[in-house]
């Protein structure tokens, strides 16, 4: 059958490039290996030339596949499954790239792209290690190419191609018609959670981090195969680069979660978050043991082990997130494409041979038999590396619970509070790492005199004082998990402050102000800031949106599970145009508008501090879910201060299409008087001054008068209402309205007309449009900017270390570090 309107050429070219990529990467692997093993120089050069040309061809093919897939997506060629599944015609141009990494095929292409770019740098800068390292990198490229080839080999499907046609992958009656494309008006669109600028830049950085872990792994494997251990120095800049990029990618994901997800934070110990964090922890452990070996000759065996494990865990995280095994425990995981066996082989084909080689060569790997001195830098660096490894092992074991259940038929349930399940262990890891980060640089390699170590006395004392001031004056009183956990938080704050101040002092006490050599110290300062920001922002995170109205549209959902928005008491309901009390602020839902460009409904929320010293507007939004999901996805908005963030997101909303033109009607009454409204009457029971049960609705420096009123409907139902006024000083007064949602009634206390006679004026507004409302949750995150600034400082430290290790000769580095 000749189908009308199909554009088959782009897909055919793309699939051709995929095949060339597969064959070329296999050829490059063989040629690089043959060049390494060749007996004479002429043969070496011949094979090396073939290998380089093959790898260059592969790189061009990957770039060509990217261009073609972008063409297919941007031109809405919905005859292709990838374009139909991951895009639509209304999608903004800036999010077209996000369509690539929403699907598994595109994300593997991204990984392949970075693998080729890094391989090109190795070819240019690899020196004597080029051939052996590139053998591993090329084989990695071959394994990645199998993931996007999408062909059948002896009735077994290998990979999943991004260039397949929709009619070949989906069964529907329209595909029996030549003009089927005329019935496909649009694609299913990009997941609403990915329609954020962070998801344009976060995945490329994260996948660059994933791809870069193959370089230290390749150096280690090359060293094992050749039984040559002189790879440590050239591997160090690559390891620093990988640690910097992967760490940046992870924290970009945290920033995306903070700005786009509505769980109220930046880290939730989600399985996919964990799967990216653990390789980074192990890689950093390997970086430190690598430094130990370079300077002392100790810890080469652990360096081999950590580099093998870090890359293997990247592959294992790929299996976890793409096999569908985490589908019930993570919002980030991909769906199962039926490639589980191939994904598992992807892990094993690297992990098993590398580990076997490691144990075969174990005895021949240089190792100093003499134990390190406890007063040496290498001893405590090694202890820190072991702690990082232990931290990663605990996280990945907990994260792998679905795997254990599937393998062994168990039914281990995930913890009810996954965050605390990790935090109660990792807080002690953080304490130890913070302290070790502070003190280790004050030791010298091999041995340290007690006189030299006295330099750390003053930074220790200052850190103790500063951390005590933060703990006491900062009101760190997180008691939800008991006093023991609170004590651990205070110790963690000391460890973080200690890491910051001790490393800052070391810039002068140890390095004598030589900033160019301070990369490690600056990275440690950044790490301490990250740790401090996490501890303070998490332990002092407070809810501002306590429900002061008694009205909430939030309900318990099916199965008596709590509402995803949390306790209804933590969510404040706002009626359009009506200022509502929210602790320190009066908050007004001003208006909402739909942006036709991004199809999001933006809500203008006006915040005014009761003391008059602050006012601002925030614009949280909601967007209708797609991909078969019901309801709306909420995107938060934040007001950034230097010392805190005010963070708000919509938890529910209710709109009315009829304009609200009804105004307040003022009525005069006294205690025990009755007045009528259209569906019943109101009775004023009395006036209460500063009532304790309304304490959340007025400030401590205000005098509040509340009317105790009973609303009685025609049906005989009774409701309580407490409109009030809050007075500050002689001139400042604000109204605190109350609502009776079921009666479409708003009541406000206007003023006292005659105090002696007890005459009061109230305003009554009844309208069917009272249901034009929203419910929101508002958090305050203290010291959150310490976290974000710490990430920047840590990355700067890594970059300085990379430059230092590339440019400085070995002897000078060793002398400086001692």
């Amino acid at each position: 059958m000749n189908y009308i309107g199909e554009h088959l050429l782009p897909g055919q070219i793309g699939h051709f490039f995929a095949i060339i990529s597969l064959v070329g990467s296999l050829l490059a692997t063989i040629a690089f290996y043959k060049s390494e093993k060749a007996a004479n120089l002429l043969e070496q050069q011949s094979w090396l030339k073939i290998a380089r040309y093959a790898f260059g061809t592969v790189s061009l093919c990957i770039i060509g596949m990217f261009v073609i897939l972008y063409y297919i997506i941007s031109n809405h060629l919905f005859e292709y499954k990838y374009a139909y599944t991951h895009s639509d015609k209304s999608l903004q141009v800036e999010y077209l790239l996000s369509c690539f990494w929403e699907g598994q095929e595109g994300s593997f292409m991204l990984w392949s792209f970075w693998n080729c770019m890094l391989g090109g740098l190795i070819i240019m800068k690899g020196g004597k290690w080029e051939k052996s390292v590139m053998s591993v990198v090329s084989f990695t490229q071959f394994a990645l190419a199998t993931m996007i080839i999408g062909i059948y080999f002896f009735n077994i499907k290998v990979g999943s191609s991004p260039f397949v046609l929709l009619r070949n992958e989906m069964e529907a009656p329209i595909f029996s018609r030549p003009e089927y494309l005329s019935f496909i008006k649009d694609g299913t669109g990009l997941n609403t959670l990915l329609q954020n600028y962070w998801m344009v830049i976060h995945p490329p950085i994260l996948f660059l981090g994933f791809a870069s872990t193959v370089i230290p792994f390749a150096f280690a494997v090359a060293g094992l195969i050749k039984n040559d251990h002189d790879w440590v120095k050239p591997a160090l800049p690559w390891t620093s680069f990988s640690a910097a990029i992967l760490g940046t990618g992870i924290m970009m994901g945290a920033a995306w979660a903070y700005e786009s997800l509505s769980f109220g934070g930046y880290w939730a110990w989600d399985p996919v978050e964990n799967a990216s964090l653990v390789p980074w922890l192990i890689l950093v452990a390997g970086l430190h043991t690598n430094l130990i070996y370079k300077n002392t000759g100790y810890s080469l065996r652990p360096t081999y082990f950590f580099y093998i494990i870090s890359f293997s865990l990247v592959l294992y995280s790929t299996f976890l997130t793409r096999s569908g095994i985490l589908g019930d425990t993570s919002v980030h995981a991909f769906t199962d494409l039926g490639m589980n066996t191939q994904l598992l082989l992807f892990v094993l084909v690297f992990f098993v041979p590398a580990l076997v080689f490691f144990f075969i060569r174990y005895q021949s790997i240089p190792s100093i038999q003499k134990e390190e001195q406890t007063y040496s830098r290498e001893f405590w660096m090694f202890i820190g590396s072991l702690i990082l490894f232990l931290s990663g092992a605990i996280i990945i074991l907990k994260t792998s619970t679905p795997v254990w259940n599937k393998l062994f038929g168990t039914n281990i349930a995930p913890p009810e509070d996954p965050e605390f399940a990790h935090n109660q262990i990792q807080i002690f890891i953080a304490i130890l790492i913070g302290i070790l980060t502070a003190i280790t640089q004050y030791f010298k390699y091999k041995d340290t005199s007690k006189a030299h170590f006295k330099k750390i006395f003053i930074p220790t004392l200052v850190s103790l004082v500063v951390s005590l001031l933060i703990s006491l004056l900062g009101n760190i009183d997180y008691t939800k998990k008991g006093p023991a956990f609170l004590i651990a938080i205070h110790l963690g704050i000391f460890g973080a402050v200690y890491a910051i101040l001790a490393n800052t002092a070391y810039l002068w006490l140890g390095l004598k102000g030589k900033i160019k050599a301070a990369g490690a110290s600056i990275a440690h300062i950044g790490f301490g800031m990250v740790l401090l920001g996490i501890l303070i922002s998490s332990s002092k995170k407070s809810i501002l949106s306590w429900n002061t109205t008694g009205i909430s549209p939030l309900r318990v959902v099916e199965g008596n599970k709590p509402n995803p928005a949390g306790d209804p008491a933590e969510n404040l309901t706002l009626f359009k145009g009506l200022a509502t009390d929210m602790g320190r602020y009066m908050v007004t839902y001003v208006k909402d508008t739909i942006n036709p460009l991004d199809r999001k409904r933006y809500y203008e929320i006006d915040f005014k501090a009761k003391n008059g010293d602050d006012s601002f507007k925030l614009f949280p939004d909601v967007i209708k879910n797609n991909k078969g999901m019901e309801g709306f996805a909420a995107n938060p908005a934040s007001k950034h201060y230097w010392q805190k963030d005010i963070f708000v997101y919509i938890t529910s909303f209710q709109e009315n299409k009829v304009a609200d033109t009804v105004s307040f009607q003022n009525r005069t009454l006294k205690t025990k008087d009755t007045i009528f409204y259209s569906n019943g009457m109101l009775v004023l029971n009395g006036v209460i001054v500063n009532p304790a049960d309304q304490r959340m609705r007025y400030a401590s420096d205000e005098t509040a008068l509340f009317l105790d009123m009973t609303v009685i409907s025609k049906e005989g139902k009774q409701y309580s209402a407490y409109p009030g006024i809050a007075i500050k000083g002689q001139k400042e007064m604000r109204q605190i309205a109350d609502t009776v949602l079921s009666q479409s009634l708003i009541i406000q206390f206007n003023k006292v007309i005659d105090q002696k006679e007890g005459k009061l004026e109230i305003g009554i507004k009844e309208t069917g449009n009272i249901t034009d409302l929203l419910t929101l949750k508002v958090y305050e995150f203290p010291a959150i900017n310490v976290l974000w600034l710490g990430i920047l400082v840590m990355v700067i430290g890594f970059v300085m270390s990379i430059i230092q290790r590339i440019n400085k000769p070995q002897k000078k580095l060793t002398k400086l570090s001692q």
Side-chain angles (χ1 to χ4, degrees), residues 571-701:
N571 294 262
L572 181 64
T573 299
L574 304 180
F575 294 90
K576 194 171 186 178
L578 182 64
T580 304
D581 186 278
M582 193 189 75
R584 301 194 304 269
Y585 299 95
M586 292 300 295
V587 185
T588 306
Y589 161 26
V590 180
K591 63 180 180 179
D592 56 270
T593 55
I594 296 178
N595 185 334
L597 180 64
D598 59 15
R599 306 172 312 286
K600 293 179 179 179
R601 180 186 294 273
Y602 288 87
Y603 290 86
E604 182 179 330
I605 313 297
D606 184 41
F607 289 74
K608 284 187 170 60
K610 292 177 183 177
N611 60 13
D613 66 354
D614 190 20
S615 65
F616 57 91
K617 295 181 185 294
L618 287 176
F619 299 88
D621 67 82
V622 296
I623 182 172
K624 186 172 177 56
N625 278 319
N626 56 7
K627 305 289 188 182
M629 295 184 291
E630 299 292 332
F632 289 76
N635 292 292
S638 298
K639 171 65 176 177
H640 304 293
Y641 297 87
W642 70 268
Q643 83 283 21
K644 66 181 180 182
D645 273 9
I646 304 295
F647 176 97
V648 56
Y649 65 92
I650 307 298
T651 52
S652 75
F653 65 94
Q654 193 169 300
E655 62 175 323
N656 204 329
K657 300 184 184 300
V658 181
D660 183 5
T661 58
V662 180
S663 59
F664 280 96
Q665 294 183 356
N666 297 329
R667 309 287 288 275
T668 303
L669 75 168
K670 295 188 291 186
T671 302
K672 304 304 180 183
D673 279 358
T674 298
I675 58 176
F676 292 89
Y677 69 103
S678 64
N679 195 48
M681 60 183 182
L682 296 87
V683 180
L684 175 58
N685 302 314
V687 181
I688 311 170
V689 180
N690 293 338
D693 59 349
Q694 302 293 323
R695 187 66 190 81
M696 294 293 294
R697 302 175 68 186
Y698 60 94
S700 58
D701 59 349

Side-chain angles (χ1 to χ4, degrees), residues 124 148 192 217 239 325 394 496 555 637:
M124 289 189 290
I148 54 177
T192 54
F217 172 83
T239 308
I325 203 166
I394 292 170
R555 296 289 182 266

Side-chain angles (χ1 to χ4, degrees), residues 382-448:
F382 182 69
I383 295 297
S385 298
L386 285 182
I387 292 172
L388 287 172
F389 174 72
L390 177 64
S391 172
I394 292 170
I395 294 170
I396 203 65
L397 286 172
K398 284 180 175 289
T399 304
S400 298
T401 298
V403 179
W404 314 138
N405 288 339
K406 197 172 186 69
L407 285 176
F408 304 110
T410 54
N411 191 26
I412 304 172
E416 292 184 8
D417 187 349
E419 288 191 36
F420 184 63
H422 285 282
N423 288 340
Q424 64 184 333
I425 298 173
Q426 298 303 320
I427 182 65
F428 295 103
I429 301 287
I431 294 168
L432 294 173
I433 292 296
I435 294 173
L436 288 174
T437 301
I439 67 173
T440 301
Q441 292 206 81
Y442 285 85
F443 289 96
K444 294 175 66 177
Y445 283 111
K446 299 182 180 178
D447 197 12
T448 308

Side-chain angles (χ1 to χ4, degrees), residues 164-369:
V164 294
L165 294 171
L166 184 63
R167 58 179 165 86
N168 292 333
E169 299 292 316
M170 183 182 296
E171 292 185 5
I174 64 168
F175 296 125
S176 63
R177 307 181 62 165
E179 74 282 9
Y180 79 90
L181 276 175
S182 63
F183 298 98
I184 301 177
K185 302 301 182 183
D186 208 350
T188 59
L190 180 67
N191 189 304
T192 54
L193 295 177
L194 300 183
Q195 295 181 37
N196 178 277
Y197 68 94
W198 279 113
M199 292 311 291
V200 179
I201 57 177
H202 156 58
I205 300 299
L206 185 65
F207 274 95
L208 174 56
F210 284 160
S212 65
T213 59
V214 76
I215 306 299
F217 172 83
F219 271 106
V221 170
L224 291 171
I225 294 174
K226 297 173 66 174
N227 203 17
D228 180 354
H229 312 292
D230 190 30
W231 56 270
V232 171
K233 182 183 176 183
L236 258 177
W238 287 103
T239 308
S240 297
F241 171 80
S242 182
I245 291 297
L246 183 54
T248 303
I250 292 168
M251 295 316 297
M252 279 184 169
W256 164 69
Y258 183 70
E259 293 197 10
S260 298
L261 301 183
S262 56
F263 66 82
Y266 44 82
W267 195 266
W269 293 110
D270 181 272
V272 173
E273 294 174 340
N274 298 346
S276 62
L277 174 65
V278 173
W280 183 79
L281 292 172
I282 309 300
L283 186 69
V284 172
L287 173 62
H288 284 82
T289 55
N290 196 338
L291 284 167
I292 292 171
Y293 177 74
K294 183 177 75 73
N295 288 281
T296 68
Y298 286 100
S299 298
L300 182 57
R301 289 171 178 171
T303 304
Y304 271 110
F305 179 75
F306 288 146
Y307 285 170
I308 290 170
I309 294 299
S310 63
F311 180 65
S312 299
L313 283 169
V314 167
L315 302 180
Y316 179 63
S317 71
T318 301
F319 169 75
L320 285 179
T321 56
R322 296 166 190 276
S323 64
I325 203 166
L326 296 181
D328 295 331
T329 57
S330 173
V331 298
H332 299 79
F334 290 93
T335 55
D336 182 7
L337 286 183
M339 294 168 54
N340 290 8
T341 301
Q342 188 177 350
L343 288 168
L344 186 59
L345 288 173
F346 188 33
V347 181
L348 297 178
V349 77
F350 288 92
F351 174 65
V352 173
L355 209 60
V356 168
F357 264 111
F358 174 68
F359 286 118
I360 291 173
R361 299 288 195 197
Y362 187 82
Q363 293 300 326
S364 65
I365 297 173
S367 176
I368 300 174
Q369 298 304 314

